Amino acid sequence: MGKVTDAGFVKGFIRMADDGWNLGFHERNGGNLSYRIKEEEVEGIKECFAPAEWKEIGTEVPDLAGEYFLVTGSGKYFRNVSLDPEDTLAIIEVDDAGKMYRIVWGLKNGGRPTSELPTHLMNHEIKKRLTDGRHRVIYHAHPISIVALTFLLPLEDKVFTRELWTTMTECPIVFPAGVGVVPWMVPGGREIAIATSEKMKEYDLVIWAHHGMFASGADFDLTFGLMHTAEKSAEILVKVFSMTDKKRQVMSSADLRKLADEFGVVLPEKFLD
């Protein structure tokens, strides 16, 4: 089994889990991570697979038929991923109809993939379609300041986007499409998976009110950096709000347009009016 954990994408996955734990994004068994494995990566480790029985995903993802994913396990702690990846992680295969999955490696002591698997796979399907397959990572974490802001700000895409953009200059460059916001819903089911995947059609960052945030990206560094940047802006904003209820100065729409021109990014007009 050592061959699987020696694979480059597995090492990148483990590093990202450690980074999230070290930043305090994953209390207890909070958060989850998934990676859509490339064909050549699957071929490099396939001899280590031991397929288990097929189980229902809880949704349908036909565009992911036959794909393999590395995912965190339900109830597993991010702090333990690097210590025992074969216990905390699983590689799963999606069936030819996109309705079932089976574990082919990992979770050696039993268990199942993350309870948010429907949300992960629906987001993967959307991003595979909209990015010509470039996006491969879906990351769910509980960044403290982002969650805190969901108790303070209106749960609206425009409000959160403008506040994060204008709090830290890098934000419009790192996530120029903005951020989406999903109101509080019971996690783990099809309803919240649908709501999140609808937002993912427009954004790479989606906030779950009073819970956490989802990020999508092409690789581990970009996806983690996306989450980290948004959380850092939120942390600054929380500190500002702790000192005053009125900002003395803030970036204007004209400032944001100048920034976009300088860095060659397109900012949606709906966030600039």
Side-chain angles (χ1 to χ4, degrees):
M1 291 298 182
K3 186 175 181 182
V4 172
T5 53
D6 287 342
F9 74 91
V10 179
K11 291 180 179 179
F13 191 104
I14 292 170
R15 179 192 175 193
M16 184 166 169
D18 273 348
D19 287 343
W21 165 256
N22 289 329
L23 281 177
F25 289 179
H26 302 283
E27 75 295 336
R28 200 170 180 269
N29 63 316
N32 26 76
L33 175 63
S34 63
Y35 171 73
R36 184 167 58 86
I37 308 172
K38 299 175 182 178
E39 289 184 17
E40 61 270 25
E41 292 170 333
V42 172
E43 290 303 316
I45 58 173
K46 209 167 187 178
E47 64 185 32
C48 300
F49 290 173
E53 64 184 71
W54 291 102
K55 296 184 178 181
E56 292 186 357
I57 295 171
T59 189
E60 297 181 15
V61 284
D63 287 353
L64 300 180
E67 296 258 22
Y68 290 83
F69 296 83
L70 178 60
V71 300
T72 47
S74 179
K76 302 298 183 179
Y77 291 28
F78 267 57
R79 70 177 302 183
N80 294 332
V81 169
S82 61
L83 300 176
D84 195 349
E86 291 182 53
D87 172 65
T88 53
L89 307 180
I91 293 177
I92 64 169
E93 177 188 7
V94 177
D95 74 350
D96 291 339
K99 297 180 180 180
M100 310 282 283
Y101 78 90
R102 63 180 177 182
I103 296 172
V104 299
W105 176 88
L107 293 177
K108 65 182 182 182
N109 295 312
R112 60 188 178 88
T114 170
S115 60
E116 303 292 354
L117 187 62
T119 299
H120 276 259
L121 293 184
M122 289 182 75
N123 288 341
H124 274 292
E125 185 177 50
I126 290 293
K127 290 303 185 181
K128 178 184 177 183
R129 186 184 309 142
L130 295 180
T131 69
D132 293 325
R134 287 185 300 103
H135 278 211
R136 291 187 172 272
V137 182
I138 297 292
Y139 179 40
H140 173 51
H142 301 162
I144 298 169
S145 298
I146 285 288
V147 175
L149 289 179
T150 66
F151 294 93
L152 180 64
L153 300 177
L155 300 177
E156 300 170 6
D157 299 358
K158 182 174 182 178
V159 173
F160 268 83
T161 294
R162 283 295 296 240
E163 290 288 359
L164 294 177
W165 275 1
T166 58
T167 297
M168 195 167 74
T169 301
E170 288 79 5
C171 287
I173 303 165
V174 174
F175 47 96
V179 297
V181 183
V182 172
W184 187 88
M185 301 171 70
V186 175
R190 179 173 167 78
E191 185 179 1
I192 197 168
I194 292 172
T196 308
S197 62
E198 283 298 312
K199 293 290 184 180
M200 279 287 182
K201 292 178 181 178
E202 190 171 356
Y203 310 108
D204 292 336
L205 278 172
V206 177
I207 295 168
W208 280 6
H210 322 321
H211 184 145
M213 184 160 56
F214 269 83
S216 173
D219 60 35
F220 298 117
D221 285 344
L222 289 171
T223 311
F224 190 80
L226 188 59
M227 180 80 70
H228 194 191
T229 302
E231 170 60 8
K232 187 172 184 180
S233 181
E235 183 179 356
I236 295 169
L237 188 56
V238 167
K239 290 181 178 180
V240 171
F241 282 141
S242 73
M243 294 183 282
T244 180
D245 59 358
K246 185 177 182 180
K247 301 172 187 175
R248 180 168 294 179
Q249 53 269 327
V250 69
M251 292 169 62
S252 66
S253 291
D255 293 331
L256 290 170
R257 288 191 172 92
K258 290 177 183 177
L259 186 68
D261 289 342
E262 183 67 26
F263 284 88
V265 297
V266 178
L267 304 181
E269 279 297 319
K270 66 179 181 177
F271 296 144
L272 297 175
D273 55 21

